[in-house]
């Protein structure tokens, strides 16, 4: 059996089980605000450590965080290569291609890399700790139209399903002597049709049967419906929400005062 | 001085020796110490309940899966060496659902995909495509739109697209799923004709009645082990053994076994055989 693929990781942690999906969504938003409010690598690094602590509290393994971290590393390298040519100030380090590279430039490059890492990691931790069903219920309570909610859950549900289909199709075509690795890029693109074609047909098939199955079970017979997943705000949620709001206000205040910044010239 | 006569030893088509397999390093073992030898030219049915390990074993034959321990050889070649695409020359594998492989617009193009991957010269490829379409009975559909064919015809198309590669060993995974009796019979007859040309066929199926009618050798897999392997009439008449794999002998065999005290043989596989036995018992 081909193994499916799902981002959400079930864990018996406080963050997984006790905290309302709406709170977690707010926390993700707050991390984004904080990441954009500061551009000093020390501050952003500090927030990154907080996100990693949250991941530990959620009992996520380091290994599961690795893809997000490796992905952000590229941005870190790229930003360290580009920003020093634009941001000046502070003691000069050396001259490269006729441009003076200064401490501030390097620090800002580091900060921008950390900012991307922070956002990617926070989004990753959020997806790994929030089950799609609970998230949908949360969004419905926030006023998302019901059908849109189902469409969203179905879309998330489709990812592992279609991945399994892709694996099967690839195997079936390999058994017909399709060897993409040995082809030049042009032929590889042309021959990929042997995998993309059946994948499209299968996804349309699956979507159609899902639509029929939903209708057969009374989908949209009435507006709104009950849900087997129950969510609710607790005191913990309220405390977290107040803390998040305070942190965001503080960050915006500090930004206006110019604290925690390398330069005011860039976001 | 006379040269010593070199005996032409025929390699077995499939030689599985003490194979163990697990899907992930930490996952459970799904094949336990499986050994199986299929000679060239045999027609073998692989039966057993869902999740018993039939498909997992079959995917070892063309290298889609590599054993964790033990060795699998197809026509003498260790499957750990070559890629799946290279092994496809020797072992054809027809998937259960034809929709997992049909992508071309025309039936003919679909069938030609494998031969072209094998880099056969165009005339040779065209000849094999025509032969395969003829064999499965899709000749008049050659220029039809592949997706517009019905389920039974798409199944035949999937088989034809692998036959066109002319592999000496053919593995067919549940070719009768979703087909009516006529369609299932057609597919098994087709495999029988292919086998009559001396090619090896391994068919995975749940359809014991059809196995009883048409396939000479049966291997039963249950819980990742081979629990029975022998002549179909012997294997399929052992109710206790089949019970372990949650299978039952074909209906006609069970009827014959109930009539054993009237002198009816217990390994009757087809209605025709039972009729002959009854006639004998009634002294006609």
């Amino acid at each position: 059996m081909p193994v499916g693929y799902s981002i959400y990781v079930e864990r018996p942690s406080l963050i997984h089980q006790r905290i309302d999906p709406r709170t977690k969504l707010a926390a993700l938003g707050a991390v984004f605000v904080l990441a954009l409010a500061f551009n000093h690598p020390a501050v952003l690094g500090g927030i990154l450590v907080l996100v990693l602590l949250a991941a530990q509290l959620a009992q996520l393994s380091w290994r599961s965080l690795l893809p997000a971290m490796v992905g952000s590393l590229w941005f870190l390298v790229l930003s360290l290569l580009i920003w020093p040519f634009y941001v000046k100030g502070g003691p000069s380090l050396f001259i490269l291609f006729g441009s003076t590279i200064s401490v501030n430039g390097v620090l800002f490059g580091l900060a921008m890399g950390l900012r991307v890492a922070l956002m990617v990691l926070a989004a990753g931790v959020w997806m790994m700790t929030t089950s799609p069903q609970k998230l949908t219920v949360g969004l419905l309570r926030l006023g998302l139209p019901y059908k849109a909610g189902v469409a969203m859950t179905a879309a998330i549900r489709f990812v592992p399903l279609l991945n399994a289909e892709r694996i099967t199709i690839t195997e079936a075509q390999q058994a017909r002597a399709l060897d993409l690795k040995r082809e030049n890029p042009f032929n590889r693109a042309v021959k990929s049709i042997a995998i993309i074609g059946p994948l499209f047909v299968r996804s349309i098939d699956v979507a159609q049967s899902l639509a029929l199955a939903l209708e057969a079970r009374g989908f949209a017979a009435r507006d709104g419906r009950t849900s087997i997943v129950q969510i609710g705000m607790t005191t913990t949620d309220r405390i977290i929400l107040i803390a998040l709001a305070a942190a965001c206000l503080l960050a915006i205040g500090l930004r206006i005062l110019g604290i925690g910044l390398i330069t005011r010239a860039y976001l | 001085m006379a040269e010593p006569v070199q005996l032409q030893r025929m390699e077995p088509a499939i030689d599985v020796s003490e194979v163990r397999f697990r899907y992930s390093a930490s996952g459970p073992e799904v094949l336990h110490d499986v050994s199986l030898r299929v000679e060239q030219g045999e027609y073998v049915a692989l039966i057993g309940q869902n999740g018993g390990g039939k498909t997992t074993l079959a995917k070892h034959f063309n290298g889609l899966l590599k054993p964790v321990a033990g060795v699998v050889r197809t026509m003498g070649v260790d499957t750990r060496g070559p890629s799946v695409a290279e092994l496809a020359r020797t072992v054809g594998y027809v998937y259960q659902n034809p929709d997992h492989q049909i992508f071309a617009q025309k039936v003919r193009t679909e069938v030609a995909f494998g031969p072209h991957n094998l880099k056969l010269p165009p005339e040779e490829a065209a000849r094999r495509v025509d032969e395969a379409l003829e064999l499965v009975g899709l000749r008049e559909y050659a220029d039809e739109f592949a997706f517009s064919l019905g389920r039974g015809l798409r199944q035949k198309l999937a088989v034809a697209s692998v036959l066109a590669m002319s592999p000496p060993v053919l593995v067919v995974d549940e070719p009768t799923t979703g087909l009516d009796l006529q369609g299932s019979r057609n597919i098994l007859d087709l495999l029988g004709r292919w086998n009559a040309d001396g090619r090896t066929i391994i068919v995975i199926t749940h359809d014991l009645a059809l196995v009883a009618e048409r396939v000479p050798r049966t291997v039963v897999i249950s819980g990742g082990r081979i629990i029975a392997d022998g002549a179909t009439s012997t294997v399929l008449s052992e109710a206790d053994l089949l019970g372990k794999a949650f299978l039952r002998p074909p209906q006609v065999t069970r009827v014959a076994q109930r009539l054993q005290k009237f002198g009816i043989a217990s390994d009757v596989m087809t209605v025709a055989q039972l009729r002959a036995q009854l006639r004998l018992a009634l002294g006609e």
Side-chain angles (χ1 to χ4, degrees):
Chain A
M1 290 289 136
V3 183
Y5 171 79
S6 155
I7 300 172
Y8 175 68
V9 195
E10 179 71 32
R11 285 273 188 282
S13 81
L14 179 80
I15 293 183
H16 280 78
Q17 310 298 345
R18 289 266 175 271
I19 296 179
D20 192 277
R22 287 165 286 182
T23 311
K24 282 186 260 190
L25 188 60
L28 180 66
V31 171
F32 274 50
V33 169
L34 293 182
L36 292 172
F38 301 103
N39 63 26
H40 195 290
V43 183
L44 291 171
I47 305 169
L48 188 70
V49 170
L50 286 180
V51 173
L52 286 174
L53 282 176
Q56 284 310 294
L57 192 64
Q59 301 174 15
L60 297 174
S61 66
W62 291 107
R63 181 192 278 256
S64 63
L65 298 175
L66 210 60
M69 295 208 272
V70 171
S72 337
L73 202 64
W74 284 108
F75 276 97
L76 192 69
V77 171
L78 208 63
S79 121
L80 269 175
L81 286 177
I82 295 170
W83 279 109
F85 288 98
Y86 293 93
V87 179
K88 307 292 172 195
S92 300
L93 290 173
F94 50 88
I95 294 174
L96 193 66
F97 303 126
S99 183
T100 317
I101 302 300
S102 64
V103 171
N104 278 9
V106 174
L107 286 178
F108 192 78
L110 193 62
M112 290 304 103
L114 283 174
R115 184 181 272 175
V116 172
L118 184 56
M119 289 175 162
V120 171
L121 200 68
V125 172
W126 174 68
M127 284 193 281
M128 283 189 262
T129 54
T130 313
S131 89
Q133 288 84 0
K134 283 190 182 171
L135 176 65
T136 309
V137 175
L139 289 175
L140 291 179
R141 295 265 181 94
L142 288 174
L144 182 82
Y146 171 57
K147 285 186 182 175
V150 172
M152 203 186 74
T153 330
I156 296 171
R157 173 77 191 85
F158 260 39
V159 174
L161 210 63
L162 288 184
N163 193 47
E165 291 286 334
R166 181 187 61 79
I167 292 170
T168 310
I169 292 167
T170 309
E171 286 181 353
Q173 303 298 33
Q174 274 182 315
R176 293 167 76 196
L178 174 69
D179 196 349
L180 290 179
K181 284 185 204 131
R182 298 239 171 131
E183 301 285 351
N184 64 46
F186 178 73
N187 274 344
R188 198 181 301 172
V190 170
K191 290 203 165 174
S192 294
I193 187 74
I195 291 169
I196 296 166
L199 192 56
F200 265 101
V201 173
R202 286 294 300 153
S203 33
I204 293 165
D205 257 7
V206 174
Q208 196 179 17
S209 9
L210 180 70
L212 286 174
L214 280 174
E215 246 179 304
R217 291 194 275 166
F219 177 66
R222 288 184 192 179
D223 275 344
R225 55 178 278 242
T226 52
S227 170
I228 198 166
V229 181
Q230 292 298 324
I231 59 168
M233 292 276 187
T234 62
T235 316
T236 321
D237 284 305
R238 288 188 194 99
I239 293 171
I240 294 174
L241 284 174
I242 290 167
L244 289 172
C248 286
L249 286 175
L250 183 68
I252 293 167
L254 290 175
R255 173 87 200 193
I256 293 167
L257 293 174
I259 300 169
L261 299 182
I262 290 287
T263 170
R264 279 173 180 267
Y266 294 97
L267 186 70
Chain B
M1 198 175 102
E3 291 262 332
V5 179
Q6 193 73 47
L7 275 177
Q8 192 73 40
R9 199 166 58 91
M10 261 233 294
E11 293 284 358
I14 303 283
D15 189 6
V16 178
S17 148
E18 290 167 9
V19 160
R20 294 174 178 277
F21 182 75
R22 53 183 83 227
Y23 277 97
S24 65
S26 55
E29 194 172 274
V30 286
L31 291 180
H32 319 284
D33 218 6
V34 169
S35 294
L36 175 69
R37 203 179 144 109
V38 177
E39 302 299 336
Q40 289 182 39
E42 276 198 282
Y43 188 2
V44 183
L46 218 54
I47 64 172
Q49 82 264 40
N50 290 337
K54 303 186 298 284
T55 300
T56 304
L57 177 61
K59 281 185 178 174
H60 278 82
F61 299 160
N62 70 338
L64 276 172
L65 300 177
K66 316 278 184 192
V68 171
V71 183
V72 179
R73 287 202 173 79
T74 56
M75 302 294 275
V77 178
D78 189 331
T79 59
R80 282 173 299 190
S83 71
V84 178
E86 283 161 345
L87 282 167
R89 211 175 276 276
T90 323
V91 187
Y93 196 114
V94 183
Y95 267 68
Q96 189 173 351
N97 188 344
D99 294 341
H100 279 139
Q101 63 162 74
I102 295 175
F103 69 97
Q105 296 232 330
K106 296 285 172 62
V107 167
R108 187 187 297 279
T109 338
E110 181 68 41
V111 179
F113 180 70
H116 286 159
N117 282 337
L118 294 180
K119 309 249 181 333
L120 295 177
E123 318 81 63
E124 170 74 3
R127 192 181 57 76
R128 290 224 199 150
V129 169
D130 285 336
E131 262 178 26
L133 286 175
E134 179 73 49
L135 196 71
V136 302
L138 280 180
R139 189 163 210 154
E140 69 261 44
Y141 296 95
D143 295 310
E144 296 274 321
F145 189 57
F147 290 109
S148 68
L149 300 180
R151 175 68 207 246
L153 294 179
R154 287 205 307 271
Q155 188 78 50
K156 284 183 171 180
L157 173 56
V159 175
S161 67
V162 174
L163 292 188
M165 296 163 68
S166 203
V169 183
L170 184 65
V171 182
V172 194
D173 196 347
E174 310 223 2
T176 58
T177 315
L179 294 189
D180 55 24
L181 187 61
Q182 191 59 46
S184 305
R185 282 211 167 119
N186 283 342
I187 292 280
L188 285 196
D189 283 346
L190 162 71
L191 296 179
R193 286 201 294 282
W194 189 250
N195 171 247
D197 290 349
R199 293 180 170 97
T200 314
I201 300 202
I202 296 158
V203 59
I204 300 174
T205 184
H206 286 291
D207 202 328
L208 295 199
L210 284 175
V211 170
E213 275 177 32
R214 283 162 165 76
V215 187
R217 177 178 165 194
T218 299
V219 175
V220 187
I221 299 191
S222 175
R225 289 192 170 79
I226 290 181
I227 62 166
D229 178 2
T232 297
S233 59
T234 317
V235 173
L236 288 193
S237 51
E238 291 185 38
D240 293 345
L241 197 127
L242 290 177
K244 284 186 201 152
F246 304 98
L247 298 169
R248 289 204 295 180
Q251 204 167 20
V252 64
T253 312
R254 298 207 304 274
V255 171
Q257 289 177 350
R258 292 276 185 96
L259 297 174
Q260 218 168 347
K261 65 175 176 188
F262 301 107
I264 307 289
S266 64
D267 62 348
V268 166
M269 288 286 125
T270 62
V271 175
Q273 283 171 9
L274 181 60
R275 182 165 173 267
Q277 290 267 331
L278 282 172
R279 288 193 147 186
L280 208 69
L282 294 171
E284 267 188 39

